[in-house]
Amino acid sequence: MILKNFIVFEGIDGAGTTTQQKLLQQRIYSSFPQVECHCTAEPTTGPTGKFLRSLLRGEFQATAETAAYLFAADRQEHLSAPGGIKDLCHKGVLVVSDRYLFSSLAYQSTTCGPELPRLLNSQFPLPEYLFFFDIEPSQSLKRITARGVTEIYENQSFLESTAKEYRKVIQEYESLSTDMKIIRIDATQGPEKVGENIWSVLKKMPIFQG
């Protein structure tokens, strides 16, 4: 199932997804004030998401399997709670999420194997557009180090494993017959260039033609 008006940015930590989400929202607000754009992220700001963020900061420990279940539970609420992604998209709001199920397939597959993350995420709808920010872990780690705050997954070895899993996941979805549009982004480029690449795709959406 494809969820119309739903856009997802994916990539390893330091790939620039959060920066581009903000730039896209600013562009839409300034050039298309009639289009409502809602930006969100996973983990969410809900109770489960806050719990997950504490886990990612290393404030306590949990098994990899527990984390996989928690990410899926947070995603279910993100999608289906009143005023969630599904409600907004059905009302014609453009929803842009920084991370979605593909991050679980990459990150959780690295920690607990692919079977459980695939099972837990198999029933979630796919976005209309998936932008994969591709970058070498060594480059993303420089960006992470520069911002001065790290999480438990933000180290060279783990990022290398996750980048490999991400590319495998994206390639797998590219081979499937879905209506999801997958766009690979060279995330090593500057923010302005990356933003233009994203906009060159999204500006063709019907929501911007009226």
Side-chain angles (χ1 to χ4, degrees):
M1 173 187 169
I2 300 295
L3 189 55
K4 293 290 186 181
N5 297 322
F6 186 29
I7 299 165
V8 170
F9 289 172
E10 289 278 6
I12 61 173
D13 295 271
T17 55
T18 304
T19 296
Q20 290 304 320
Q21 186 190 52
K22 293 176 182 177
L23 291 176
L24 177 61
Q25 187 177 47
Q26 291 169 2
R27 183 192 290 268
I28 293 172
Y29 280 169
S30 62
S31 302
F32 298 90
Q34 76 278 12
V35 175
E36 187 175 352
C37 177
H38 175 76
C39 286
T40 186
E42 293 187 358
T44 69
T45 57
T48 307
K50 290 179 179 177
F51 188 73
L52 276 167
R53 290 185 184 278
S54 296
L55 175 64
L56 293 174
R57 288 193 296 268
E59 295 175 6
F60 62 91
Q61 292 184 334
T63 67
E65 291 78 10
T66 297
Y69 278 105
L70 288 170
F71 275 105
D74 188 42
R75 185 163 297 123
Q76 174 62 31
E77 285 298 296
H78 198 197
L79 280 164
S80 301
I85 292 173
K86 287 183 179 179
D87 279 356
L88 292 171
C89 288
H90 291 154
K91 291 177 181 176
V93 177
L94 197 65
V95 178
V96 185
S97 184
D98 183 359
R99 298 283 178 81
Y100 186 51
L101 67 86
F102 312 97
S103 61
S104 283
L105 297 182
Y107 279 84
Q108 270 67 65
S109 291
T110 301
T111 57
C112 67
E115 291 81 9
L116 182 60
R118 286 177 182 274
L119 175 64
L120 294 174
N121 291 279
S122 61
Q123 299 303 310
F124 292 132
L126 298 175
E128 186 174 3
Y129 288 87
L130 166 60
F131 289 87
F132 173 54
F133 289 56
D134 201 0
I135 189 171
E136 289 301 320
S138 58
Q139 293 176 285
S140 71
L141 194 58
K142 289 179 181 178
R143 297 178 180 179
I144 293 168
T145 304
R147 73 189 185 206
V149 179
T150 59
E151 294 181 343
I152 60 173
Y153 293 152
E154 295 174 340
N155 62 75
Q156 182 81 24
S157 176
F158 189 85
L159 287 175
E160 287 176 353
S161 298
T162 306
K164 183 179 179 180
E165 288 296 328
Y166 250 130
R167 288 163 181 156
K168 187 187 302 182
V169 168
I170 298 302
Q171 186 173 22
E172 179 180 333
Y173 274 96
E174 286 174 333
S175 69
L176 298 176
S177 297
T178 73
D179 291 328
M180 177 174 65
K181 301 173 182 65
I182 302 174
I183 301 93
R184 290 176 178 256
I185 294 291
D186 179 0
T188 62
Q189 301 177 104
E192 184 175 325
K193 178 62 175 175
V194 171
E196 287 301 324
N197 291 340
I198 293 170
W199 183 242
S200 69
V201 175
L202 295 181
K203 69 181 181 181
K204 300 171 186 176
M205 293 180 70
I207 198 170
F208 297 116
Q209 304 306 312

